[in-house]
Amino acid sequence: MRITLYDSARVLLLRLALAAGLGLLLDGCNKIGPDFHRPEIKLTDTWLDAPKKAAKASDFRNWWKLFNDPVLDRLIEKAYRQNLDVQKAAIRIYQARAQLGIAKGYLFPQKQNVGMDTFYERISEYSPYYQGSDFHTFTYFQTGFDAMWELDIWGRFRRGIDAAGAELAASTLQYDDMVVTLTAEVAAAYVQIRTFNQRLALAKGNADLQERSFRVAESQFRNGLSTELDMQQAKALHQATLAEIANLEVGLRQSKNALSVLLGMQPSHLEKELGPDSDIPAARSEIAMGIPTDILRRRPDVRAQEYKAASQCAQIGIAESELLPRLSLVGTVGFNSGSIDGLDVANAISPSGLAGKFGPTVIWPIFQYGRLTNNVRVQDAKFQELLTDYRSTVLRALREVEDAIIAFKKAEERVASLSDGVRASQRAAELALRQYQNGLEDYTRVLNSELFLVQQQDRLTASRGDVARSVIAMYKALGGGWEIREGRELLPPGVKKEMRERTDWSDLLEEPVGKGID
């Protein structure tokens, strides 16, 4: 029975298929190394100074709407679409997706080459292989397919997939954490700007009042009804207020510059976004708090730290697999032909020219002098360090919430007290000036009352800003705001288009955010 070219190829392919089946069977073995389990942390059921009134948990999604400020809503929306740091975090997600694809690729034959060699060779007459003038030149041709498949019998490559998958989840959560930070920083910057606006308005109003007082003191001095001391004190107070106005204007401009960076725009374009000056945003006192345990699942940075630890846990298994033998299947199939009479294409691809080989190879690093063992210890120590980082992140999150709660509570109390104090100071300043004009009091009483009024008004305005900022800090600490990205593109269409034109991204740019996170 004559064996044809196709019969020979079929036999080789059948053997390779059997070897592949063996590889899949061996791949089903257990993965070496520890499996990751979320660290258990026992938390209390309540916050130390939780508000008596609580809003709905759904308020976490768009918490800034509690301020009922359309300008703030518009700024946060624009910042999410344009902020460059958020775009960088999104690009890192695509990088992690590609890295996961690389890790998955190791489950398949790691070497797959199609090659061809053809050359003409002349043997030197002084070579030990020289066999006479008729045999010292020949032509050689070779083509074929080579494959090498290291079987994942210990789960080394599957642990790599576990690590890459956890890194992808961590990068997605780091993106969410960036969004949480962005929404809070935009809101805080906006509140800061409105607070500066109010403080400037009050300072300018007080400057006008002090200028009138100065004119009164100047008139009294010229008419011989008071000393020059009264006039100079009035002038000094007025100039001090003008100097404070200059400081406030610097703070206002710098706050606007900071907001423009968050919005991804030039400072000169911000005024149109802000519109006319308005009051400091005020949120209702009902705050969606939840319980401390919610922090473990709601805050993206806590969850990201958990996945970082999971990724490192997989690295322990990868390191342990280096201590064990590696089994690979190696195969080659192709055509070889050589002749002293030149290349004959028909002979080169004839059934007689078919050649091939396949078989297993085993590599076992038995003399590793502690190098691989110590690498396992290194990976385990890194894992333990990340577990400690996870617990530290949880504690830091709890502290941030408690700090924001007490700041909010005391800022509200401070506003209530200062509001009464400002009303009393305004009345005292009016009485002191009237009594001075009537000659019943010296100017020291007027000076002290006006100075105290300025201080109280500025403290009240700053405290109102503190109330708003403490609400913002509370929702940031509780991990609210990242939900704004749900159902939306990670990157602007222009950036995606640029990446597609430069590189074939297949469908990686279209996968939904959060895929792979349990």
Side-chain angles (χ1 to χ4, degrees):
M1 178 177 176
R2 183 177 179 182
I3 303 297
T4 67
L5 166 65
Y6 305 104
D7 292 330
S8 301
R10 191 178 295 113
V11 171
L12 285 171
L13 291 174
L14 178 60
R15 292 177 177 177
L16 289 174
L18 291 174
L22 175 61
L24 292 174
L25 179 63
L26 292 174
D27 273 353
C29 300
N30 292 328
K31 294 181 286 188
I32 195 170
D35 293 324
F36 177 76
H37 300 284
R38 183 181 301 121
E40 293 186 7
I41 299 181
K42 295 183 179 180
L43 302 178
T44 58
D45 295 332
T46 59
W47 303 102
L48 291 176
D49 296 282
K52 295 180 180 179
K53 297 181 179 180
K56 298 178 181 178
S58 59
D59 289 337
F60 284 109
R61 301 179 63 87
N62 301 299
W63 56 262
W64 51 89
K65 292 186 179 296
L66 295 175
F67 292 103
N68 195 28
D69 191 318
V71 176
L72 176 58
D73 297 344
R74 187 171 64 250
L75 291 175
I76 288 180
E77 176 65 25
K78 186 174 289 290
Y80 177 72
R81 287 188 280 107
Q82 299 182 172
N83 183 266
L84 298 180
D85 288 334
V86 169
Q87 290 185 24
K88 286 169 55 180
I91 292 170
R92 284 193 288 269
I93 293 178
Y94 297 132
Q95 179 182 342
R97 286 176 177 174
Q99 290 288 351
L100 178 58
I102 293 173
K104 290 179 178 179
Y106 282 107
L107 289 178
F108 302 96
Q110 293 84 24
K111 178 183 177 183
Q112 306 169 68
N113 298 326
V114 175
M116 182 181 71
D117 295 324
T118 181
F119 55 87
Y120 171 82
E121 183 174 350
R122 181 183 187 279
I123 299 177
S124 169
E125 295 182 7
Y126 300 108
S127 170
Y129 302 104
Y130 181 74
Q131 299 181 15
S133 60
D134 293 335
F135 304 98
H136 75 291
T137 62
F138 66 93
T139 304
Y140 182 80
F141 172 82
Q142 173 180 297
T143 184
F145 173 76
D146 298 332
M148 189 277 290
W149 189 1
E150 180 183 334
L151 303 180
D152 194 25
I153 58 177
W154 310 116
R156 181 165 70 102
F157 298 135
R158 282 171 289 157
R159 285 298 184 192
I161 293 175
D162 292 344
E167 287 293 337
L168 173 57
S171 66
T172 303
L173 290 163
Q174 287 170 332
Y175 173 85
D176 289 345
D177 186 50
M178 181 67 70
V179 174
V180 169
T181 300
L182 175 66
T183 56
E185 287 185 352
V186 169
Y190 177 71
V191 168
Q192 186 82 333
I193 289 170
R194 295 312 188 199
T195 302
F196 273 123
N197 286 336
Q198 293 296 306
R199 293 176 67 189
L200 266 170
L202 287 171
K204 291 176 179 179
N206 283 320
D208 293 340
L209 175 63
Q210 292 161 7
E211 185 177 10
R212 290 196 298 271
S213 298
F214 167 67
R215 298 306 175 193
V216 171
E218 185 180 37
S219 176
Q220 296 281 67
F221 169 65
R222 289 177 178 176
N223 292 325
L225 300 177
S226 66
T227 65
E228 183 183 1
L229 176 62
D230 293 347
M231 182 185 70
Q232 295 298 338
Q233 286 179 324
K235 182 178 180 180
L237 178 60
H238 180 240
Q239 293 299 319
T241 301
L242 293 178
E244 181 60 23
I245 289 174
N247 287 333
L248 293 173
E249 288 174 340
V250 171
L252 176 61
R253 176 61 60 82
Q254 292 176 343
S255 296
K256 289 181 177 180
N257 293 343
L259 180 58
S260 67
V261 173
L262 294 174
L263 296 178
M265 63 171 55
Q266 299 179 25
S268 58
H269 299 162
L270 183 63
E271 291 299 333
K272 182 179 179 181
E273 299 293 334
L274 289 174
D277 295 345
S278 62
D279 202 356
I280 300 171
R284 62 175 184 262
S285 58
E286 293 88 349
I287 305 297
M289 292 297 304
I291 59 176
T293 306
D294 294 340
I295 287 289
L296 302 181
R297 307 311 306 160
R298 186 187 301 129
R299 273 190 57 144
D301 60 332
V302 172
R303 298 187 64 201
Q305 201 64 43
E306 174 188 327
Y307 277 100
K308 286 181 182 179
S311 177
Q312 182 56 41
C313 182
Q315 294 294 334
I316 299 174
I318 295 174
E320 288 182 351
S321 69
E322 298 286 345
L323 296 167
L324 302 172
R326 297 185 185 181
L327 174 61
S328 300
L329 301 178
V330 180
T332 299
V333 60
F335 297 91
N336 295 332
S337 177
S339 173
I340 62 174
D341 298 322
L343 180 63
D344 187 332
V345 177
N347 289 334
I349 60 174
S350 67
S352 299
L354 181 65
K357 64 178 181 179
F358 69 92
T361 64
V362 178
I363 299 176
W364 193 353
I366 56 175
F367 298 113
Q368 43 87 15
Y369 304 105
R371 175 175 55 86
L372 300 180
T373 302
N374 280 307
N375 184 46
V376 175
R377 295 163 183 159
V378 168
Q379 302 306 323
D380 184 70
K382 289 182 177 180
F383 174 60
Q384 191 62 44
E385 179 183 3
L386 287 172
L387 290 180
T388 304
D389 284 344
Y390 173 78
R391 295 185 176 93
S392 177
T393 302
V394 172
L395 290 177
R396 185 166 59 251
L398 297 175
R399 173 200 167 184
E400 289 173 0
V401 176
E402 295 287 8
D403 286 350
I405 292 174
I406 191 63
F408 171 70
K409 182 177 180 180
K410 296 305 176 182
E412 283 196 320
E413 293 177 3
R414 192 161 59 251
V415 165
S417 299
L418 287 171
S419 297
D420 293 338
V422 165
R423 286 191 291 269
S425 297
Q426 289 173 332
R427 180 60 177 163
E430 293 172 1
L431 292 174
L433 181 59
R434 187 180 305 166
Q435 291 176 358
Y436 174 70
Q437 290 173 321
N438 294 330
L440 300 177
E441 291 286 350
D442 60 19
Y443 191 75
T444 301
R445 178 66 63 85
V446 177
L447 179 69
N448 291 337
S449 60
E450 290 185 351
L451 179 60
F452 191 67
L453 173 61
V454 170
Q455 294 173 344
Q456 290 291 87
Q457 288 178 327
D458 190 66
R459 287 173 184 170
L460 174 60
T461 304
S463 295
R464 285 174 176 162
D466 291 340
V467 171
R469 282 191 293 273
S470 62
V471 171
I472 295 167
M474 192 180 308
Y475 277 106
K476 178 186 177 184
L478 290 168
W482 60 265
E483 295 91 344
I484 190 177
R485 57 86 166 160
E486 291 182 338
R488 305 179 62 167
E489 295 287 340
L490 277 175
L491 288 174
V495 176
K496 282 191 173 183
K497 181 181 178 182
E498 180 182 352
M499 295 174 70
R500 286 195 185 98
E501 290 176 349
R502 188 172 56 243
T503 305
D504 178 14
W505 278 91
S506 185
D507 59 350
L508 289 183
L509 297 181
E510 305 304 329
E511 292 184 14
V513 182
K515 186 176 181 180
I517 302 179
D518 54 23

